[in-house]
Amino acid sequence: MQNRDSYNKIEDFLSDESFQKWVKGNDDPLNWSEWTVENPYRAKLVEEARMWILAMATKETTLSNQETQKALQKVWKKIGRSNEKLPFRAIWHHKWFRTAAAVFVVGLATFFYYANLSSPQNTTITYQELVKSDLNGLIEQTNNSDKPQLITLSDASSVLLQPNSKLSYPKIFTGNERKVYLSGEGFFEISKDPNRAFYVYANETVTKVFGTSFRVIAYANQPNVEVLVRTGKVKVSSNQNIRNATLEEVMLLPNQAARFVRKEQLFEKILDITQDKPLLASTNTMEQLSFDFKDIPVHQIFKTLEQGYLITIDFPEEKLKECYLTTSLSDVPLPEKLKIICESLGNNSRYEMNGNYIKIISNGCK
Amino acid sequence: MEKIRSHINNISDSSLWNKLRLGDEEAFSSLFERYYSTLVNYGKKLMTGEDRVKDCVQDVFVDIWTYRYKLNEAIVVKAYLLSSVRKRIARLHNREHIFSNIKNIDSLEFLFDFSIEDRLIAEETTTKKVEQLNKSINQLSDRQKEAIYLRYHQGLSVEQVAEVLNLNYQSTKNLLHRAILQLRKDFPISALFLLLNFSPNYF
């Protein structure tokens, strides 16, 4: 664009977007007001140009986002229809073609039927749809209480399910994938298994990990889905069954998060959870506790675990009084944590787990 | 706070266009979202009936997707879309007037009057001047009004206005220039403009 200092005719101003904005009383980042009064000839010209713009207003209506989306869906429908129409034309009278066409139509109908099954028309995906589409028998755990609930999966991963949340998972993970479905909020600690990726399906997002800990917040009635990483590396992408979904992926490292804005179907990446107020508010004791212990009495370690997982740990206090441990437990799920502790204690120490109640059986650390 | 909005809003028209040509549905949808409103607004100035206009704009996009592999790379997306809407409306128009003499898109009426931003005018003398100027603008030919609309409201370059109106560059330039001249004639011109008329930069 031409430098405004060389403007010398009305047209120059009319075609300058920032000038138009200024005239219409919107923002003035280029400071036209000041520039105008720098010289009297200029001021005159600007005043004329201003009048021209005022006399050339248009009443444009901006269509709502909703209306635009409706129109876009109509377009996709029309596109679908015109694709179907193509093969039927001049050769319609051949008998072989009729047969072929009949087969084609049936095929097409079947295809669209199944295509529809896996890709719902609208762009939101609900927990119900996800669970329905999984053909393995799933167990569903619902937390209707007012306290987080601990779930241990068959691969020794643990999930702290928040109130008003649901998790569906197979009794035993088979094949080379581990898939669970979440509605609501859960804190996941996934046991390491480089050969079997672990997937959390939550609304329109899929979180893929091999072994880490992270939180997923995906309530059906909330505008966003959020994934917050505590340890390890996590890959979040949009569920490919969403219509028009891009294969967008977000890689997250510890203390990073991804927020999927459901209405707009896009990801925001948050590079520092502690700098994002709404996210920080949704982390809780789990993320704030440290599971790195350096020469710490074991009863205190148990206390930390109790706080984090909201569990009860029953242990022979007297026998373990003199036991101190140095260990890093932050990157492993609860069963693994307990196992490591018992192994460190030695002496055939072991644990038993029954829901939120854990019993440590030990004769002390020598 | 550092945030990455890994979204399409920052992607240029032309890179979306190129993705679309390769069959990227998301790019297609984004361009649709970006321009639907603008195109409907423009279409309403060429044809009555908002629903018909919307249908027309949607059909333009259906065609774009259907023939995506044949689309030209080197275009200005906005101008191309405005031009496509205009052509499509002209075709509908021709079909409806099959027995009349109307033969080409030059005959499309521009059903539109510029209005006045009166909320921004404080003094009475200015009001009068603006009203007078507005009257003159609305007395311009349809083509001139449309050219002004495309150039100054849609922000197209003269070349792009030419493309949309299906005219060559020079005629478009003249069309716009004559419009401005006409307005100057009607409008009480200040001494400054007379002065500028002699400046070598004028055209």
Side-chain angles (χ1 to χ4, degrees):
Chain A
M1 202 197 293
Q2 203 182 341
N3 182 327
R4 63 176 170 181
D5 291 336
S6 65
Y7 283 2
N8 58 16
K9 54 186 192 290
I10 295 275
E11 292 97 306
D12 296 333
F13 291 96
L14 294 184
S15 53
D16 187 315
E17 209 179 314
S18 79
F19 180 77
Q20 286 199 23
K21 274 194 185 146
W22 171 62
V23 169
K24 290 181 183 165
N26 298 332
D27 48 348
D28 185 17
L30 296 180
N31 212 341
W32 283 96
S33 346
E34 207 164 280
W35 180 84
T36 298
V37 293
E38 275 172 20
N39 111 29
Y41 284 110
R42 193 184 275 172
K44 192 87 184 144
L45 193 57
V46 164
E47 179 51 25
E48 302 281 359
R50 193 176 93 91
M51 272 189 243
W52 281 56
I53 286 172
L54 295 177
M56 279 172 40
T58 58
K59 292 197 176 101
E60 309 263 282
T61 47
T62 309
L63 298 174
S64 69
N65 193 15
Q66 198 188 356
E67 178 150 15
T68 305
Q69 288 307 324
K70 248 171 66 192
L72 179 58
Q73 286 196 358
K74 247 169 115 184
V75 168
W76 281 115
K77 245 184 226 162
K78 283 185 191 178
I79 288 171
R81 232 181 288 141
S82 67
N83 280 346
E84 284 168 51
K85 255 187 263 164
L86 286 178
F88 304 86
R89 276 203 188 141
I91 44 175
W92 178 240
H93 297 287
H94 297 279
K95 200 173 174 190
W96 63 265
F97 179 75
R98 290 190 184 199
T99 319
V103 172
F104 179 71
V105 169
V106 172
L108 205 65
T110 321
F111 170 77
F112 274 106
Y113 178 70
Y114 282 106
N116 262 333
L117 275 188
S118 59
S119 65
Q121 277 295 325
N122 45 29
T123 52
T124 56
I125 294 183
T126 63
Y127 170 80
Q128 270 82 10
E129 287 163 348
L130 286 170
V131 168
K132 218 169 67 188
S133 66
D134 191 308
L135 301 173
N136 303 315
L138 297 177
I139 299 170
E140 187 180 77
Q141 189 94 31
T142 308
N143 184 358
N144 289 325
S145 71
D146 54 3
K147 281 194 310 224
Q149 190 179 343
L150 182 70
I151 298 173
T152 308
L153 305 173
S154 69
D155 62 343
S157 298
S158 52
V159 183
L160 255 187
L161 194 62
Q162 293 298 308
N164 302 317
S165 302
K166 276 187 281 196
L167 186 77
S168 276
Y169 55 94
K171 190 160 186 214
I172 296 167
F173 289 111
T174 52
N176 48 12
E177 283 177 340
R178 297 175 282 172
K179 284 187 189 172
V180 301
Y181 305 87
L182 172 76
S183 170
E185 182 176 345
F187 182 77
F188 291 81
E189 285 182 301
I190 303 309
S191 62
K192 284 209 174 55
D193 189 346
N195 299 319
R196 287 197 301 168
F198 191 98
Y199 297 89
V200 180
Y201 286 78
N203 291 344
E204 295 83 11
T205 65
V206 182
T207 305
K208 178 184 181 182
V209 303
F210 288 97
T212 64
S213 58
F214 57 96
R215 180 179 296 277
V216 178
I217 308 170
Y219 290 99
N221 54 0
Q222 294 290 310
N224 303 325
V225 180
E226 287 158 336
V227 179
L228 292 73
V229 176
R230 179 172 152 91
T231 61
K233 208 153 87 178
V234 167
K235 191 160 82 183
V236 187
S237 60
S238 50
N239 192 318
Q240 290 175 37
N241 288 342
I242 315 179
R243 196 163 168 68
N244 308 334
T246 44
L247 292 173
E248 212 177 347
E249 282 180 348
V250 184
M251 280 301 295
L252 299 176
L253 296 170
N255 209 30
Q256 296 186 342
R259 179 182 285 133
F260 183 79
V261 185
R262 303 175 72 187
K263 209 172 88 192
E264 293 164 47
Q265 303 273 311
L266 59 92
F267 278 107
E268 280 171 15
K269 185 171 175 179
I270 290 99
L271 296 177
D272 185 353
I273 291 174
T274 57
Q275 298 297 307
D276 190 286
K277 277 212 184 100
L279 282 182
L280 194 60
S282 56
T283 64
N284 62 21
T285 31
M286 211 50 207
E287 277 99 339
Q288 284 144 24
L289 285 174
S290 164
F291 293 104
D292 289 333
F293 303 105
K294 204 169 172 191
D295 220 12
I296 301 291
V298 75
H299 65 86
Q300 203 166 322
I301 297 181
F302 287 142
K303 209 167 145 197
T304 310
L305 293 181
E306 284 182 327
Q307 279 176 0
Y309 293 93
L310 298 148
I311 47 176
T312 312
I313 301 181
D314 190 2
F315 62 96
E317 222 166 323
E318 203 45 49
K319 286 178 185 162
L320 297 177
K321 216 167 68 187
E322 298 299 324
C323 300
Y324 289 75
L325 276 186
T326 297
T327 179
S328 171
L329 300 174
S330 45
D331 203 9
V332 294
L334 178 63
E336 187 72 12
K337 285 189 173 86
L338 294 168
K339 199 176 139 206
I340 292 172
I341 294 171
C342 287
E343 274 169 9
S344 318
L345 290 172
N347 247 347
N348 284 330
S349 301
R350 59 192 169 89
Y351 73 93
E352 279 169 12
M353 195 166 177
N354 193 357
N356 288 4
Y357 177 75
I358 285 136
K359 189 178 171 83
I360 305 285
I361 300 124
S362 173
N363 287 314
C365 43
K366 283 179 285 189
Chain B
M1 170 168 44
E2 202 179 349
K3 256 194 203 177
I4 299 169
R5 208 155 231 259
S6 50
H7 187 43
I8 251 154
N9 272 340
N10 311 319
I11 301 176
S12 73
D13 279 5
S14 60
S15 78
L16 284 176
W17 183 253
N18 285 330
K19 283 187 184 170
L20 184 166
R21 288 173 54 241
L22 298 172
D24 184 330
E25 298 184 4
E26 181 76 4
F28 174 85
S29 301
S30 303
L31 280 175
F32 183 89
E33 285 160 7
R34 198 174 281 186
Y35 284 114
Y36 184 62
S37 222
T38 304
L39 296 173
V40 169
N41 271 312
Y42 177 55
K44 271 157 65 182
K45 298 175 176 58
L46 297 167
M47 178 167 75
T48 52
E50 185 158 344
D51 286 341
R52 283 205 307 164
V53 170
K54 284 178 179 167
D55 258 354
C56 214
V57 173
Q58 289 163 17
D59 289 344
V60 163
F61 277 90
V62 171
D63 276 2
I64 285 177
W65 183 258
T66 310
Y67 302 108
R68 59 191 179 276
Y69 299 113
K70 293 181 188 164
L71 294 173
N72 198 340
E73 183 183 351
I75 54 141
V76 175
V77 175
K78 188 175 189 180
Y80 180 86
L81 292 174
L82 287 165
S83 154
S84 304
V85 168
R86 193 177 201 279
K87 280 186 193 134
R88 194 160 196 110
I89 289 177
R91 247 187 288 150
L92 277 181
H93 194 76
N94 284 354
R95 232 180 279 160
E96 281 168 18
H97 298 81
I98 200 136
F99 297 114
S100 70
N101 291 328
I102 297 163
K103 278 280 182 301
N104 57 38
I105 64 172
D106 297 351
S107 60
L108 267 188
E109 288 173 81
F110 195 58
L111 315 162
F112 170 70
D113 276 340
F114 289 99
S115 55
I116 296 174
E117 291 266 9
D118 35 18
R119 68 189 169 88
L120 297 172
I121 308 171
E123 318 122 62
E124 207 173 318
T125 45
T126 318
T127 311
K128 260 198 191 133
K129 276 187 190 171
V130 170
E131 273 170 7
Q132 196 180 344
L133 184 55
N134 175 263
K135 221 169 110 190
S136 305
I137 291 173
N138 285 327
Q139 277 163 4
L140 292 172
S141 75
D142 280 354
R143 302 308 299 287
Q144 284 176 323
K145 278 203 277 185
E146 193 175 0
I148 285 179
Y149 173 80
L150 292 168
R151 177 88 177 91
Y152 300 124
H153 280 283
Q154 294 302 342
L156 300 190
S157 69
V158 177
E159 287 96 329
Q160 291 158 12
V161 175
E163 188 195 320
V164 175
L165 296 181
N166 203 22
L167 294 173
N168 68 38
Y169 175 78
Q170 195 54 48
S171 334
T172 309
K173 206 174 169 187
N174 293 344
L175 189 72
L176 278 164
H177 180 234
R178 262 186 279 116
I180 304 279
L181 272 190
Q182 178 69 36
L183 295 178
R184 289 243 173 87
K185 213 169 71 190
D186 293 349
F187 192 63
I189 295 167
S190 67
L192 179 70
F193 288 125
L194 292 171
L195 195 76
L196 283 170
N197 270 329
F198 297 101
S199 111
N201 282 336
Y202 186 66
F203 289 112

